[in-house]
């Protein structure tokens, strides 16, 4: 791609990847047709569809709508060949235990963003009565009937909160999840379950209470808009000194990122379901800390790094969620940025302009950030292994092109 180009225009947001994947897993618990609207057209959704099919469900797509039918007999095993491609496959653990009383899931590998254990998922499920054994790279769980209990999470893990919520919905008695993650995707999952007849309260707060029911009934659900996609384009507008309007989104879901962009000098106009972000000058340096929601999302940290790399002054960016999320800094420094990583802090000395270089994509979010840096840099940037980006962004290149970026995909 050829830069620098200010991103300008209007772009519409897709459904949230991180909601879609969990809602698809949750559909395994519903005997009948679950219809999910606004399902993003991304590779990870296709991978999750493969996982569900392997387990015995049918999954069909018609435009942006997915229809999932899990009324047939389900299998208990999710093999390595699928889990290794996408860590979120581990989210079928709770649903399978709830539906079948047993599950066999390959230990996850997944993104190159640090060691990502699942001890909190397993510890919570054990408290609900599941007996786990692990052998040959697989975890096997067995339970007669899941029992409601009180689980205090050591860290508000998104995936662990979701797996426990899913298991609890069909458990006997009441489950209380304390120090639960508060991400909007968890609220979306709870809204879906409520429509299926589940009894869930407190989603979006640190304490979620779930009263188990005997059975769930099919429903139609519209997936929330993708806040990380929205944040990526909002930050892209600032990094490229452009003017972008995001449509079909929830401004409140990216409130902190928007505030940080304002602190860096952007003009932000919020309305009910859209936001306009304008930047006419070089960004100011700011300090930033990633934290679980409603803190600044770790998934937007790489894009913010690209912005601050071009800021007037020095910034400190602290990563508190995934320790290896700074791995892509070496790539960015090849484009002329001055970033020094010390443990989980990055010290960023802003430069006037980035300069193009060939770079390698390690994961979805760093990939989007490296493409944005190519949009901002002088000259032609080649981004290798860009396929990672399609795992999480619907038509990223097309949307950037519609905002004026000169980007082209080559095989
Ligand atoms: C989800 C998102 C991901 C996002 C992350 C944090 C999906 C598919 N992915 O990932 O995009 O970056 O939330 O917002 O929704 N941890 C443990 N033990 C566990 C579970 C997690 O130590 O059992 C640690 C992880 O190593 C990590 C931190 O907790 O350091 C956060 O992980 P978690 O919130 O679980 O993220 P994911 O659900 O994997």
């Amino acid at each position: 791609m050829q830069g620098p180009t200010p991103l300008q225009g209007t772009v519409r947001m897709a459904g949230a990847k991180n909601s879609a994947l969990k809602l698809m897993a949750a559909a395994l618990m519903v005997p009948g047709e679950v219809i999910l609207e606004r399902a993003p057209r991304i590779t990870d959704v296709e991978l999750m569809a493969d996982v569900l099919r392997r387990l015995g469900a049918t999954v069909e797509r018609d435009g942006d709508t997915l229809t999932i039918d899990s009324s047939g007999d389900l299998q208990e095993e999710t093999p390595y060949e699928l889990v290794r491609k996408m860590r979120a496959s581990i989210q079928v653990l709770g649903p399978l235990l709830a539906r079948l009383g047993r599950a066999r899931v390959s230990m996850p590998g997944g993104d190159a963003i640090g060691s990502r254990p699942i001890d909190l998922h397993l510890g919570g499920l054990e408290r609900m009565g599941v007996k786990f054994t692990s052998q040959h790279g697989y975890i096997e769980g067995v339970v007669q009937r899941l029992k409601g209990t009180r689980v205090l999470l050591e860290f508000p893990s998104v995936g662990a909160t979701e797996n426990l919520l899913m298991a609890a919905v069909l458990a006997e008695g009441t489950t209380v999840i304390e120090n639960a993650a508060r991400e909007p995707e968890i609220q979306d999952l709870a809204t879906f379950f409520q429509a299926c007849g589940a009894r869930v309260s407190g989603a979006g707060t640190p304490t979620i209470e779930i009263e188990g029911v005997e059975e769930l009934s099919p429903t139609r659900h519209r997936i929330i808009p993708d806040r990380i996609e929205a944040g990526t384009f909002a930050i892209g507008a600032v990094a490229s000194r452009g003017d972008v309007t995001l449509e079909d989104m929830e401004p409140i879901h990216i409130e902190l990122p928007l505030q940080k962009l304002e602190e860096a000098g952007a003009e932000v106009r919020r309305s009910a379901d859209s936001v306009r972000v304008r930047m006419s000058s070089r960004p100011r340096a700011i300090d930033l800390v990633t934290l679980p929601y409603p803190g600044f999302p770790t998934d937007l940290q790489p894009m913010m790094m690209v912005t601050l790399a071009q800021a007037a002054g020095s910034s400190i960016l602290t990563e508190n969620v995934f320790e290896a999320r700074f791995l892509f800094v070496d790539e960015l420094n090849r484009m002329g940025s001055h970033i020094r990583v010390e443990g989980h802090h990055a010290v960023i000395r802003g430069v006037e302009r980035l300069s193009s270089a060939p770079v390698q994509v390690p994961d979805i979010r760093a990939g989007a950030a490296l493409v944005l840096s190519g949009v901002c840099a002088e000259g032609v940037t080649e981004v290798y292994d860009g396929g990672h980006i399609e795992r999480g962004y619907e038509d990223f290149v097309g949307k950037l092109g519609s905002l004026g970026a000169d980007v082209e995909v080559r095989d």
Side-chain angles (χ1 to χ4, degrees), residues 242-256:
D243 180 356
V244 174
T245 301
L246 314 167
E247 282 187 341
D248 264 1
M249 47 88 70
E250 285 278 356
I252 192 73
H253 290 171
I254 53 165
E255 181 50 30
L256 193 58

Side-chain angles (χ1 to χ4, degrees), residues 17-19 21-22 44 87-88 91 111 113-122 155-160 162 181 183 185 227-228 291-293 297-299 320-323 325 365:
K17 163 176 104 68
N18 289 350
S19 227
L21 299 177
K22 321 312 168 57
D44 272 10
R87 190 179 187 278
Q91 297 304 147
D111 284 326
I113 57 169
S115 105
R116 300 171 95 183
I118 53 166
D119 54 312
L120 301 174
H121 302 232
L122 301 183
F155 181 89
S157 151
V158 174
E162 289 165 337
E183 271 67 4
E185 292 75 20
R227 65 191 166 98
I228 304 302
L291 281 172
Y293 191 84
T298 175
D299 284 354
N320 286 319
V321 182
F322 286 114
E323 77 272 20
R325 266 250 150 100
R365 305 305 171 188

Side-chain angles (χ1 to χ4, degrees), residues 3 67 73 176 260 281 287 385:
T67 303
D73 285 343
V176 179
K260 296 309 280 189
S281 56
D287 292 341
D385 279 346

